[in-house]
Amino acid sequence: MAKEKQKEEHQDFTKYVRWFWILFLSGILFTILLFLLASWGAFGEMPDHTVLENPKTNLASEIISSDGKTLGKFYLNDNRTPVGYNELPQHLIDALIATEDARFHDHSGIDARGTLRAFAFLGKKGGASTISQQLARQLFVGVRSKNKFQALTQKFKEWVIATRLERQYTKEEIISQYFNIYDFGNNGDGIRSAARIYFNKEPKDLDLKESAMLVGMFKNSSLYNPRAHKNPVGTKNRRNVVLSQMQKYGYITEAVKNELQKTDLGLRYTPESHNSGPAPYFREYLRSEMKKWVKNNPKPDGTLYNINKDGLKIYTTLDSRMQRYAEEAVQKHMPRLQAEFFHQNTPKRNPTAPFLELEQDEIEALMKRSMRQSERWRHMKYDLKIADKKIIESFNKPTKMTIFSWKGEIDTIMKPMDSMRYYKFFLHPGMMSMDPQTGHVKAWVGGMNPKHFQYDHVKQGKRQVGSTFKPFVYATAIDQLHMSPCDELPRSQITIEANKYGNPESWTPKNVDRDYGGKLSLKDALARSVNTITARLMDKVGPQPVVKLAKRLGIESEILPVPAIALGTPEVSVYEMVGAYGTFANQGVYNKPVMVTTITDKNDTVLFQFVPESRDVLSEEAAYVTVKLMEGVTQRGSGARLRGKGADEYRQDYREVVTGYPYEFTNPIAGKTGTTQNQSDGWFIAMVPNLVTGVWVGAENRAAHFANSKYGQGAAMALPIWGMYMKSCYADKNLKISKGSFAKPKNLTIEVDCEKYKQNKEDDSKNKNEGEEEEEEDPFGF
């Protein structure tokens, strides 16, 4: 009886064992089946070999300066530029492995030990997602579903893709992809953007605690966000967890961990957007040019590149240091100049402010035109389809808005029409700097704030150039008539009769100082910007040759061949003028301004290589003599304040806005100031042997200007920006901006030294007189 009972118990135990193995093997088979189904695409499309090789991630196009700095990016939603494994600091990699996948180097995509632990403890002692699985989810699976069955099938997809990724890529490539794909919040897509935004650094420069904070954000970048309005305390706690993990796995010592856990986050928050960062006007110009380029340069498969998604690298000629110095010079001078303009245009001083010489009905007509040309009008009329009457009414209703000021943005309530009038008060800058020997543009300041003022005053804007056009007239005279800077002409008035050169009426220019007595050398005449002598030169050579030369110098704007162009009536851009002046500095050879040298795809394959565009315009001698003429401007003319300790001689006439700048330049500088009628536009274009820079300053509307030339001339509005910019450039020895003399031609036949010229004239006159005396004494001619 007892034996039978023991036999029955033994049989029951065997049954349990059998069921255990059946269930165990069935589970394995079911798991294998799920793996197979997942790999066959039963749970959704799976990436094939080609997709795994080239995952579809949106990559921002990067704009790179000539000195290797990122100026900005083109992107829509993903501000992502990838970095390679060798650009990641070791402690950043260690922090990731210690926190997310301690056995990363020991598995092939799936951590068996971690997976069993997760099943055994239902995830209470940590999950089992490896770095490869997390990358698979980021690239191909997406957000985890709340549906349990779908979540399970997603997990199997992750496992399958993770193993494929491990076969496709090295461990190092998986690490770099993982860092590049993650969204760190605040527009920080990928580790490069995150490092720049949170710490203003490149990834390779991150220190240990910064790396730990960024790795801590992998858990949840929305929750563990260091920005003050988010969760800085939670982010710090999470960073400290990462440091503890690094100590646990032996990457750092306990002493280092304890020390770093006491420190704050050390943020240097630098948000990135399309309007932020250096050279915003240049980048916007470049965007329009890139859109044209992609249309004419399709991919091998015939499709077009997308500058916002395809990760192009655009190597530009801009120098990040020179760009910074240019922007700093504008930021320093313009608020002072603007303060003086506001001071002169108070309601008591000028009831029609900021406009001068306009009647009330003219001002109303001007404002109505501005209203219909505004972005607000365009949006309401064409996007919202609102009737004109309603739009006009809206311009006279108080509205919440943020307006620009040099002291920072102001939140206010104002009628849109009043805000338009307010913006008419502002003076705007345009500045470009170029290496004349290569045509490479080094700095580009199109305005003062792209958020509030989108118009680019370097290439988009064209204004009357005033006396900066005069060197073209002088250069024509030197080239055609072989004139010397030391040749003298009378200051007396001259009238060029109607129809002589096709001009419809007689033209009699006046000098600003109303002085018409005596003679002046060409060098002094240009230095003092004497209009009558420029008119005499124009009468000698004619307008058509001057226009022809200007066109050869790269001026594409329309220039009518009439005598009045001698005084700068044509409307030309800063871009064109700098390119033209560069020809004089480059020994008569014009180099078309260059902005981009190379374009590559995301794999660094070269798609575009710049080919220089240059042409001979003037003889080396004519260019050099023109330069020597313009040196007189900065020696004893309107640019003389660049010498000395800040223009003490002008201190009685000028407020701090234009004085006190300690330029003290002693090196050769050739240039020309320009001031248009009624002081509407102030120009200064100057050059040293390897750098030409042009600056323009003026209001949006020509009726808004200074009342007199004390502040309204180019020497007061534009020259200080050039002076401060060059001081910074010279202080930076790495830039190697020349302080030397301009290259002198080997066979110079025109005398440019006026002392020698004068002596030669006296000798010639003496010899001539002696010859005449001999003839009188010898009637036979012996």
Side-chain angles (χ1 to χ4, degrees):
M1 188 81 177
K3 289 182 178 180
E4 289 178 3
K5 188 174 181 181
Q6 287 178 358
K7 186 177 180 181
E8 187 178 337
E9 288 176 354
H10 179 72
Q11 288 176 343
D12 291 340
F13 180 75
T14 303
K15 181 174 66 175
Y16 292 133
V17 171
R18 187 188 312 118
W19 275 108
F20 169 79
W21 283 108
I22 290 173
L23 291 173
F24 180 73
L25 293 173
S26 297
I28 292 175
L29 291 173
F30 181 69
T31 302
I32 293 172
L33 178 62
L34 288 176
F35 265 105
L36 290 171
L37 290 173
S39 64
W40 294 335
F43 304 139
E45 185 179 358
M46 295 290 284
D48 60 19
H49 175 75
T50 57
V51 175
L52 285 172
E53 269 191 351
N54 295 287
K56 292 181 180 179
T57 54
N58 293 335
L59 302 177
S61 291
E62 188 176 6
I63 306 161
I64 303 168
S65 70
S66 61
D67 54 322
K69 304 295 183 182
T70 298
L71 295 173
K73 303 172 188 175
F74 296 140
Y75 61 91
L76 292 177
N77 299 317
D78 297 330
N79 177 24
R80 178 180 292 106
T81 48
V83 295
Y85 183 84
N86 60 348
E87 298 176 78
L88 303 173
Q90 189 59 47
H91 47 249
L92 180 69
I93 298 165
D94 294 342
L96 175 68
I97 292 173
T99 308
E100 298 292 333
D101 190 356
R103 288 178 291 279
F104 174 69
H105 290 290
D106 300 326
H107 62 67
S108 298
I110 301 173
D111 181 4
R113 193 191 311 177
T115 302
L116 290 173
R117 183 193 64 221
F119 275 119
F121 296 97
L122 300 177
K124 292 180 181 179
K125 291 193 176 183
S129 286
T130 63
I131 291 173
S132 302
Q133 287 175 241
Q134 293 179 49
L135 178 61
R137 180 165 66 248
Q138 292 274 348
L139 289 174
F140 303 110
V141 179
V143 179
R144 186 65 53 81
S145 174
K146 293 182 179 180
N147 181 285
K148 290 185 178 180
F149 178 74
Q150 288 183 346
L152 180 63
T153 59
Q154 284 180 323
K155 193 67 179 177
F156 277 99
K157 286 181 67 176
E158 285 175 21
W159 280 337
V160 173
I161 296 171
T163 58
R164 292 181 178 179
L165 287 173
E166 290 273 353
R167 291 197 300 269
Q168 185 74 38
Y169 297 103
T170 64
K171 291 287 187 179
E172 289 76 14
E173 289 171 330
I174 289 173
I175 288 281
S176 61
Q177 283 197 63
Y178 186 73
F179 275 114
N180 286 325
I181 197 64
Y182 193 73
D183 179 2
F184 290 86
N186 295 309
N187 213 21
D189 300 301
I191 189 63
R192 180 140 189 252
S193 294
R196 287 166 59 90
I197 289 170
Y198 292 119
F199 299 109
N200 197 23
K201 291 183 176 181
E202 291 296 323
K204 61 184 176 60
D205 299 319
L206 292 168
D207 63 27
L208 177 54
K209 72 173 185 177
E210 293 165 348
S211 296
M213 190 207 85
L214 292 173
V215 168
M217 294 178 71
F218 279 121
K219 187 170 182 68
N220 187 330
S221 61
S222 295
L223 178 61
Y224 300 110
N225 192 304
R227 293 293 289 134
H229 64 283
K230 296 283 187 176
N231 187 8
V233 175
T235 305
K236 181 178 178 180
N237 292 337
R238 180 61 189 167
R239 179 203 68 181
N240 290 346
V241 169
V242 174
L243 292 170
S244 294
Q245 288 293 105
M246 294 184 74
Q247 186 265 323
K248 175 182 176 181
Y249 289 104
Y251 292 110
I252 59 175
T253 64
E254 186 172 5
V256 171
K257 179 203 74 171
N258 292 338
E259 181 182 352
L260 291 179
Q261 285 183 338
K262 296 174 185 177
T263 62
D264 59 21
L265 293 174
L267 291 180
R268 291 181 61 196
Y269 186 63
T270 311
E272 289 190 348
S273 69
H274 297 298
N275 287 330
S276 65
Y281 291 91
F282 170 77
R283 288 188 277 116
E284 200 54 38
Y285 166 73
L286 186 60
R287 181 193 296 276
S288 64
E289 292 300 300
M290 285 299 299
K291 287 180 179 178
K292 298 175 187 175
W293 181 85
V294 297
K295 289 181 180 179
N296 298 320
N297 296 271
K299 297 178 183 179
D301 62 3
T303 60
L304 298 181
Y305 288 100
N306 187 317
I307 63 172
N308 296 312
K309 296 180 178 181
D310 284 341
L312 301 178
K313 292 180 181 178
I314 307 158
Y315 293 89
T316 72
T317 60
L318 257 66
D319 186 291
S320 68
R321 298 158 296 183
M322 297 174 75
Q323 180 67 31
R324 183 172 75 252
Y325 301 149
E327 291 177 359
E328 287 173 352
V330 168
Q331 293 290 320
K332 186 175 181 181
H333 176 67
M334 290 304 297
R336 298 180 182 183
L337 190 67
Q338 189 65 56
E340 180 59 32
F341 190 74
F342 280 136
H343 174 72
Q344 294 187 18
N345 281 281
T346 59
K348 287 184 179 180
R349 290 172 178 265
N350 178 16
T352 63
F355 309 110
L356 300 176
E357 300 102 22
L358 291 187
E359 300 296 332
Q360 193 58 43
D361 58 337
E362 294 175 307
I363 294 173
E364 290 177 4
L366 185 155
M367 294 305 298
K368 286 180 180 178
R369 287 196 302 273
S370 297
M371 176 181 66
R372 292 178 178 272
Q373 293 168 356
S374 69
E375 177 61 24
R376 179 185 178 88
W377 179 281
R378 189 207 64 76
H379 174 65
M380 295 180 75
K381 183 173 179 64
Y382 299 107
D383 295 341
L384 303 181
K385 308 298 183 184
I386 298 175
D388 288 6
K389 183 179 179 180
K390 292 289 185 181
I391 299 176
I392 294 171
E393 290 175 359
S394 76
F395 271 83
N396 290 287
K397 290 181 180 179
T399 306
K400 286 183 179 181
M401 63 179 67
T402 301
I403 60 174
F404 171 83
S405 85
W406 277 112
K407 295 181 179 179
E409 290 186 334
I410 300 172
D411 292 323
T412 186
I413 297 175
M414 185 183 288
K415 295 178 182 178
M417 186 63 81
D418 290 340
S419 73
M420 287 174 55
R421 182 82 172 250
Y422 167 75
Y423 281 122
K424 298 290 184 185
F425 276 87
F426 281 94
L427 300 172
H428 301 265
M431 177 182 181
M432 189 179 106
S433 197
M434 183 191 83
D435 182 342
Q437 297 167 6
T438 61
H440 288 189
V441 175
K442 294 298 181 181
W444 179 303
V445 183
M448 51 199 179
N449 186 295
K451 179 180 177 181
H452 295 278
F453 307 102
Q454 289 81 33
Y455 198 77
D456 176 22
H457 294 286
V458 169
K459 200 164 192 296
Q460 190 178 6
K462 296 185 179 185
R463 297 292 286 258
Q464 285 190 340
V465 293
S467 293
T468 58
F469 194 87
K470 288 179 180 177
F472 303 153
V473 180
Y474 280 74
T476 305
I478 292 165
D479 190 46
Q480 290 191 357
L481 308 177
H482 212 65
M483 296 185 76
S484 164
C486 310
D487 284 328
E488 293 184 342
L489 291 176
R491 296 177 63 143
S492 57
Q493 282 192 283
I494 176 176
T495 297
I496 298 179
E497 300 298 334
N499 300 317
K500 183 174 182 180
Y501 296 110
N503 51 315
E505 56 187 27
S506 297
W507 181 59
T508 307
K510 297 178 180 180
N511 292 332
V512 175
D513 60 5
R514 298 297 191 268
D515 185 353
Y516 303 102
K519 290 184 176 183
L520 280 178
S521 69
L522 296 189
K523 191 169 187 177
D524 283 338
L526 185 63
R528 300 181 190 182
S529 212
V530 179
N531 292 336
T532 53
I533 290 181
T534 307
R536 288 183 182 278
L537 290 176
M538 176 61 83
D539 193 36
K540 287 178 181 291
V541 298
Q544 194 64 54
V546 176
V547 172
K548 185 177 179 181
L549 175 63
K551 293 296 182 181
R552 293 274 295 158
L553 290 170
I555 305 297
E556 297 177 352
S557 302
E558 182 181 6
I559 305 176
L560 296 176
V562 296
I565 63 172
L567 306 188
T569 55
E571 296 187 352
V572 186
S573 68
V574 173
Y575 169 90
E576 293 170 285
M577 291 300 288
V578 172
Y581 270 59
T583 308
F584 300 131
N586 195 39
Q587 301 170 302
V589 178
Y590 170 78
N591 282 317
K592 185 175 182 180
V594 182
M595 279 75 78
V596 175
T597 57
T598 308
I599 301 172
T600 68
D601 64 14
K602 64 181 181 181
N603 299 315
D604 292 328
T605 302
V606 175
L607 305 176
F608 167 84
Q609 194 77 46
F610 164 74
V611 178
E613 292 184 43
S614 61
R615 57 177 174 265
D616 292 331
V617 177
L618 284 168
S619 68
E620 190 176 343
E621 182 178 53
Y624 178 74
V625 174
T626 305
V627 167
K628 298 304 288 185
L629 267 172
M630 286 192 279
E631 281 187 5
V633 174
T634 65
Q635 291 167 349
R636 53 185 177 272
S638 54
R641 65 193 64 187
L642 292 171
R643 314 295 181 179
K645 294 186 177 181
D648 289 336
E649 61 190 284
Y650 298 97
R651 207 175 286 278
Q652 291 181 350
D653 294 331
Y654 287 80
R655 296 174 189 269
E656 180 63 23
V657 64
V658 292
T659 62
Y661 296 137
Y663 306 121
E664 299 183 270
F665 295 117
T666 58
N667 57 291
I669 300 169
K672 187 71 189 79
T673 57
T675 308
T676 58
Q677 191 174 20
N678 296 330
Q679 298 77 232
S680 295
D681 305 271
W683 289 80
F684 186 58
I685 306 175
M687 49 193 168
V688 295
N690 63 350
L691 193 67
V692 178
T693 305
V695 183
W696 165 87
V697 174
E700 175 190 323
N701 191 278
R702 289 180 174 84
H705 57 80
F706 281 106
N708 54 59
S709 62
K710 186 183 293 185
Y711 295 96
Q713 62 176 297
M717 290 208 290
L719 179 144
I721 293 175
W722 188 92
M724 287 185 284
Y725 166 68
M726 290 301 291
K727 286 285 284 187
S728 297
C729 287
Y730 279 133
D732 191 336
K733 302 301 182 185
N734 293 323
L735 294 177
K736 299 180 180 178
I737 304 302
S738 174
K739 285 190 175 183
S741 300
F742 291 87
K744 184 178 180 179
K746 292 180 179 179
N747 299 313
L748 184 63
T749 62
I750 299 175
E751 184 58 69
V752 295
D753 185 330
C754 290
E755 289 298 322
K756 291 182 179 179
Y757 180 88
K758 185 177 180 182
Q759 185 62 47
N760 292 339
K761 281 282 188 181
E762 291 175 354
D763 292 344
D764 289 343
S765 176
K766 184 178 179 181
N767 292 333
K768 182 179 179 182
N769 291 334
E770 289 176 353
E772 290 174 353
E773 288 175 5
E774 289 176 0
E775 286 182 10
E776 291 174 1
E777 293 174 357
D778 183 5
F780 297 100
F782 295 125

